[in-house]
Protein backbone atom coordinates (compact mmCIF):
# COMPACT_ATOMS: atom_id res chain seq x y z
CA UNK A 1 0.00 0.00 0.00
CA UNK A 2 1.33 3.46 -0.86
CA UNK A 3 0.84 6.86 0.71
CA UNK A 4 0.83 8.74 -2.61
CA UNK A 5 -1.78 11.51 -2.62
CA UNK A 6 -1.07 13.12 -5.96
CA UNK A 7 -3.84 15.13 -7.54
CA UNK A 8 -4.13 15.84 -11.25
CA UNK A 9 -6.46 18.78 -11.65
CA UNK A 10 -8.08 20.67 -14.48
CA UNK A 11 -7.69 24.45 -14.30
CA UNK A 12 -10.76 26.18 -12.96
CA UNK A 13 -11.67 29.71 -12.02
CA UNK A 14 -11.75 30.62 -8.35
CA UNK A 15 -10.00 32.71 -5.78
CA UNK A 16 -8.09 31.63 -2.73
CA UNK A 17 -10.32 31.89 0.32
CA UNK A 18 -8.48 33.91 2.90
CA UNK A 19 -10.99 34.05 5.75
CA UNK A 20 -12.43 30.57 5.77
CA UNK A 21 -10.69 29.49 8.96
CA UNK A 22 -9.45 31.17 12.10
CA UNK A 23 -6.35 30.69 14.23
CA UNK A 24 -6.89 28.65 17.40
CA UNK A 25 -7.62 30.16 20.79
CA UNK A 26 -4.65 31.40 22.82
CA UNK A 27 -2.88 29.20 25.31
CA UNK A 28 -0.42 29.65 28.13
CA UNK A 29 2.50 29.44 25.72
CA UNK A 30 1.37 32.44 23.65
CA UNK A 31 4.18 34.96 23.14
CA UNK A 32 4.08 38.48 24.54
CA UNK A 33 2.67 41.07 22.15
CA UNK A 34 5.53 43.25 20.82
CA UNK A 35 4.88 46.88 19.85
CA UNK A 36 3.92 47.41 16.22
CA UNK A 37 7.00 48.32 14.14
CA UNK A 38 7.02 52.03 13.33
CA UNK A 39 5.21 52.97 10.13
CA UNK A 40 3.20 49.78 9.73
CA UNK A 41 -0.59 49.83 9.67
CA UNK A 42 -2.92 46.82 10.02
CA UNK A 43 -5.10 46.11 7.01
CA UNK A 44 -2.47 47.38 4.58
CA UNK A 45 0.62 46.01 2.90
CA UNK A 46 3.59 48.20 3.71
CA UNK A 47 7.39 48.22 3.41
CA UNK A 48 9.65 47.21 6.29
CA UNK A 49 13.42 47.39 6.58
CA UNK A 50 15.42 45.47 9.17
CA UNK A 51 18.97 46.81 9.08
CA UNK A 52 21.96 44.57 9.60
CA UNK A 53 20.53 41.52 7.82
CA UNK A 54 21.13 40.17 4.28
CA UNK A 55 17.35 39.99 3.82
CA UNK A 56 16.63 43.49 5.02
CA UNK A 57 13.85 44.81 2.74
CA UNK A 58 10.38 43.29 2.61
CA UNK A 59 6.65 43.80 2.24
CA UNK A 60 4.49 43.14 5.30
CA UNK A 61 0.74 42.52 5.29
CA UNK A 62 -1.04 42.68 8.66
CA UNK A 63 -4.71 41.67 9.12
CA UNK A 64 -7.02 44.59 9.89
CA UNK A 65 -7.67 43.28 13.42
CA UNK A 66 -4.02 42.50 14.08
CA UNK A 67 -3.91 44.71 17.18
CA UNK A 68 -7.23 43.52 18.58
CA UNK A 69 -6.60 39.78 18.32
CA UNK A 70 -6.25 37.96 21.63
CA UNK A 71 -4.21 35.14 20.11
CA UNK A 72 -0.97 35.29 18.14
CA UNK A 73 -1.27 35.10 14.38
CA UNK A 74 0.13 32.52 11.98
CA UNK A 75 3.08 33.85 9.96
CA UNK A 76 3.55 33.09 6.26
CA UNK A 77 6.85 33.98 4.57
CA UNK A 78 6.62 34.23 0.77
CA UNK A 79 9.76 33.81 -1.37
CA UNK A 80 9.64 35.30 -4.87
CA UNK A 81 11.19 33.95 -8.07
CA UNK A 82 14.40 34.93 -9.86
CA UNK A 83 12.73 37.64 -11.95
CA UNK A 84 11.80 39.71 -8.87
CA UNK A 85 15.34 40.09 -7.50
CA UNK A 86 16.95 43.52 -7.35
CA UNK A 87 16.46 46.85 -5.61
CA UNK A 88 12.93 47.73 -6.75
CA UNK A 89 10.76 46.29 -3.99
CA UNK A 90 7.63 46.74 -6.11
CA UNK A 91 8.86 43.83 -8.24
CA UNK A 92 7.90 41.49 -5.39
CA UNK A 93 4.26 42.49 -5.95
CA UNK A 94 4.13 40.92 -9.42
CA UNK A 95 3.01 37.45 -8.35
CA UNK A 96 1.61 35.33 -5.57
CA UNK A 97 0.26 36.38 -2.18
CA UNK A 98 1.90 39.85 -2.06
CA UNK A 99 0.30 40.66 -5.42
CA UNK A 100 -3.13 39.60 -4.19
CA UNK A 101 -2.70 41.54 -0.94
CA UNK A 102 -1.61 44.68 -2.81
CA UNK A 103 -4.49 44.50 -5.30
CA UNK A 104 -7.08 43.64 -2.68
CA UNK A 105 -8.61 41.08 -5.02
CA UNK A 106 -8.69 38.28 -2.46
CA UNK A 107 -10.46 37.89 0.85
CA UNK A 108 -8.21 39.33 3.59
CA UNK A 109 -5.48 36.94 4.63
CA UNK A 110 -5.94 35.71 8.22
CA UNK A 111 -2.21 35.67 8.89
CA UNK A 112 0.82 37.93 8.92
CA UNK A 113 2.38 37.85 5.44
CA UNK A 114 6.04 38.80 4.96
CA UNK A 115 7.60 38.95 1.48
CA UNK A 116 11.36 39.72 1.51
CA UNK A 117 13.41 40.58 -1.58
CA UNK A 118 16.70 39.15 -2.78
CA UNK A 119 19.38 41.34 -4.30
CA UNK A 120 20.43 40.74 -7.92
CA UNK A 121 22.02 37.37 -8.71
CA UNK A 122 21.47 35.99 -5.20
CA UNK A 123 19.60 32.86 -4.13
CA UNK A 124 17.60 32.11 -1.00
CA UNK A 125 19.99 30.91 1.70
CA UNK A 126 18.49 28.74 4.48
CA UNK A 127 20.62 30.31 7.23
CA UNK A 128 19.55 33.82 6.18
CA UNK A 129 15.90 32.76 6.18
CA UNK A 130 16.36 31.23 9.63
CA UNK A 131 17.79 34.52 10.89
CA UNK A 132 14.98 36.48 9.25
CA UNK A 133 12.39 34.27 10.93
CA UNK A 134 13.98 34.87 14.33
CA UNK A 135 13.84 38.63 13.71
CA UNK A 136 10.20 38.50 12.63
CA UNK A 137 9.16 36.55 15.72
CA UNK A 138 10.50 39.33 17.93
CA UNK A 139 8.77 42.10 15.94
CA UNK A 140 5.32 40.66 15.35
CA UNK A 141 2.62 39.00 17.42
CA UNK A 142 2.93 35.59 15.78
CA UNK A 143 2.70 32.02 16.96
CA UNK A 144 6.19 30.45 16.77
CA UNK A 145 4.53 27.06 16.24
CA UNK A 146 2.62 28.31 13.19
CA UNK A 147 5.29 29.80 10.93
CA UNK A 148 5.04 28.66 7.31
CA UNK A 149 6.89 29.13 4.04
CA UNK A 150 5.73 29.32 0.45
CA UNK A 151 7.40 30.44 -2.74
CA UNK A 152 7.48 30.09 -6.50
CA UNK A 153 10.23 28.87 -8.83
CA UNK A 154 13.47 30.06 -7.18
CA UNK A 155 11.35 30.70 -4.09
CA UNK A 156 9.92 27.18 -4.25
CA UNK A 157 13.49 25.92 -4.31
CA UNK A 158 14.17 28.21 -1.36
CA UNK A 159 11.42 26.83 0.87
CA UNK A 160 12.44 23.22 0.16
CA UNK A 161 16.04 24.03 1.17
CA UNK A 162 14.95 26.09 4.18
CA UNK A 163 12.83 23.27 5.59
CA UNK A 164 15.59 20.74 4.90
CA UNK A 165 18.29 22.80 6.64
CA UNK A 166 16.11 24.09 9.51
CA UNK A 167 13.20 21.64 9.90
CA UNK A 168 12.21 23.09 13.28
CA UNK A 169 11.55 26.53 11.79
CA UNK A 170 8.41 25.78 9.84
CA UNK A 171 5.05 24.15 10.51
CA UNK A 172 4.62 23.47 6.78
CA UNK A 173 5.68 24.59 3.32
CA UNK A 174 3.85 25.18 0.03
CA UNK A 175 6.45 25.20 -2.78
CA UNK A 176 5.27 26.07 -6.30
CA UNK A 177 7.26 24.87 -9.34
CA UNK A 178 10.31 24.45 -7.12
CA UNK A 179 12.54 21.60 -6.02
CA UNK A 180 15.04 20.65 -3.35
CA UNK A 181 17.67 17.96 -2.85
CA UNK A 182 15.99 14.52 -2.82
CA UNK A 183 18.99 13.07 -0.99
CA UNK A 184 18.43 15.42 1.95
CA UNK A 185 14.68 15.89 2.31
CA UNK A 186 14.41 13.07 4.86
CA UNK A 187 15.62 15.65 7.40
CA UNK A 188 12.30 17.50 6.98
CA UNK A 189 10.03 14.46 7.17
CA UNK A 190 8.04 16.06 10.01
CA UNK A 191 7.30 19.18 7.94
CA UNK A 192 4.05 18.76 5.94
CA UNK A 193 4.21 19.83 2.29
CA UNK A 194 1.54 21.03 -0.14
CA UNK A 195 3.32 21.35 -3.50
CA UNK A 196 2.24 22.47 -6.98
CA UNK A 197 3.68 22.06 -10.49
CA UNK A 198 2.70 22.21 -14.14
CA UNK A 199 3.29 19.06 -16.15
CA UNK A 200 4.63 21.07 -19.12
CA UNK A 201 7.13 23.12 -17.10
CA UNK A 202 10.27 23.59 -19.23
CA UNK A 203 12.09 25.82 -16.71
CA UNK A 204 11.88 23.64 -13.61
CA UNK A 205 10.91 20.17 -14.87
CA UNK A 206 8.11 18.40 -13.03
CA UNK A 207 10.50 15.48 -12.44
CA UNK A 208 12.71 17.65 -10.21
CA UNK A 209 9.97 18.35 -7.67
CA UNK A 210 8.50 14.87 -8.12
CA UNK A 211 11.83 13.41 -6.98
CA UNK A 212 11.66 15.44 -3.75
CA UNK A 213 8.03 14.45 -3.18
CA UNK A 214 8.83 10.76 -3.69
CA UNK A 215 11.89 10.90 -1.42
CA UNK A 216 9.98 12.67 1.33
CA UNK A 217 7.14 10.18 1.18
CA UNK A 218 9.62 7.31 1.30
CA UNK A 219 11.06 8.86 4.48
CA UNK A 220 7.62 8.97 6.09
CA UNK A 221 6.75 12.57 5.29
CA UNK A 222 3.31 13.97 4.46
CA UNK A 223 2.93 15.50 1.00
CA UNK A 224 0.00 16.72 -1.07
CA UNK A 225 1.10 17.27 -4.66
CA UNK A 226 -1.09 19.04 -7.23
CA UNK A 227 -0.07 18.72 -10.88
CA UNK A 228 -1.68 21.05 -13.42
CA UNK A 229 -2.07 19.44 -16.86
CA UNK A 230 -0.96 21.52 -19.82
CA UNK A 231 0.60 24.23 -17.63
CA UNK A 232 4.14 25.46 -18.19
CA UNK A 233 6.19 27.40 -15.63
CA UNK A 234 3.35 29.70 -14.53
CA UNK A 235 1.75 27.20 -12.17
CA UNK A 236 1.80 29.85 -9.45
CA UNK A 237 -1.25 31.47 -11.04
CA UNK A 238 -3.64 28.58 -10.29
CA UNK A 239 -1.70 27.49 -7.19
CA UNK A 240 -2.24 30.78 -5.36
CA UNK A 241 -5.90 30.73 -6.38
CA UNK A 242 -6.37 27.24 -4.91
CA UNK A 243 -9.27 27.58 -2.43
CA UNK A 244 -7.73 24.83 -0.31
CA UNK A 245 -4.34 26.48 0.18
CA UNK A 246 -5.12 29.01 2.93
CA UNK A 247 -7.14 26.51 5.01
CA UNK A 248 -4.23 24.08 4.69
CA UNK A 249 -1.74 26.71 5.84
CA UNK A 250 -3.94 27.62 8.82
CA UNK A 251 -4.31 23.96 9.82
CA UNK A 252 -0.56 23.39 10.26
CA UNK A 253 1.04 23.61 13.68
CA UNK A 254 4.50 22.47 14.64
CA UNK A 255 4.67 20.10 17.57
CA UNK A 256 6.86 20.97 20.55
Amino acid sequence: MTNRRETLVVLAAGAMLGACAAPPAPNAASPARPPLPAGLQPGRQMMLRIDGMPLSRMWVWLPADYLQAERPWPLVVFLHGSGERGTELDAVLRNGPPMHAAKGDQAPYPFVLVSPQLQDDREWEPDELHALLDALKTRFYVDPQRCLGTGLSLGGHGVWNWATRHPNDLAGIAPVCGHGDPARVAAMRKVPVRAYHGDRDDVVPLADQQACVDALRAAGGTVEFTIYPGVNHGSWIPAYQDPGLVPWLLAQKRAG
Side-chain angles (χ1 to χ4, degrees), residues 9 17 54 60 63 74 76 79 84 87 93 106-107 119 121 129 137 152 154 157 161 192 195 207 216 234 248 254:
V9 302
L17 303 180
V60 176
V76 175
L79 307 183
E84 290 73 62
T87 58
L93 304 179
Q106 303 279 18
Q119 297 178 1
D121 302 322
L129 291 164
K137 287 189 289 189
L152 61 89
L154 182 69
H157 181 58
N161 288 343
L216 187 57
W248 184 88
R254 188 171 63 84

Side-chain angles (χ1 to χ4, degrees), residues 159-194:
V159 293
W160 272 109
N161 288 343
W162 184 7
T164 299
R165 179 68 174 268
H166 296 284
N168 292 324
D169 278 3
L170 300 168
I173 63 170
V176 182
C177 56
H179 69 96
D181 184 345
R184 297 183 178 184
V185 296
M188 54 169 287
R189 60 185 174 276
K190 294 184 180 180
V191 181
V193 176
R194 187 182 181 100

Side-chain angles (χ1 to χ4, degrees), residues 9 39 58 101 107 113 148 154 168 183 201 213:
V9 302
M58 64 207 75
L113 172 66
L148 303 114
L154 182 69
N168 292 324
D201 196 325
V213 168

Side-chain angles (χ1 to χ4, degrees), residues 43-81:
R44 298 182 60 187
Q45 184 161 236
M46 306 188 73
M47 296 182 186
L48 175 67
R49 183 180 185 93
I50 303 177
D51 292 328
M53 301 184 64
L55 298 173
S56 60
R57 300 169 67 249
M58 64 207 75
W59 289 103
V60 176
W61 157 264
L62 299 176
D65 55 344
Y66 172 82
L67 293 174
Q68 288 74 43
E70 296 181 357
R71 75 284 191 195
W73 294 91
L75 168 67
V76 175
V77 178
F78 168 78
L79 307 183
H80 62 70

Side-chain angles (χ1 to χ4, degrees), residues 6-14 16 175-177 194-201 206 209 225-245:
E6 242 144 81
T7 306
L8 191 66
V9 302
V10 177
L11 295 183
M16 185 160 57
V176 182
C177 56
R194 187 182 181 100
Y196 300 85
H197 221 109
D199 69 353
R200 300 292 180 89
D201 196 325
L206 170 62
Q209 185 154 235
F225 193 20
T226 297
I227 301 171
Y228 295 109
V231 173
N232 201 313
H233 193 51
S235 54
W236 56 81
I237 297 174
Y240 287 117
Q241 293 178 334
D242 173 12
L245 177 56

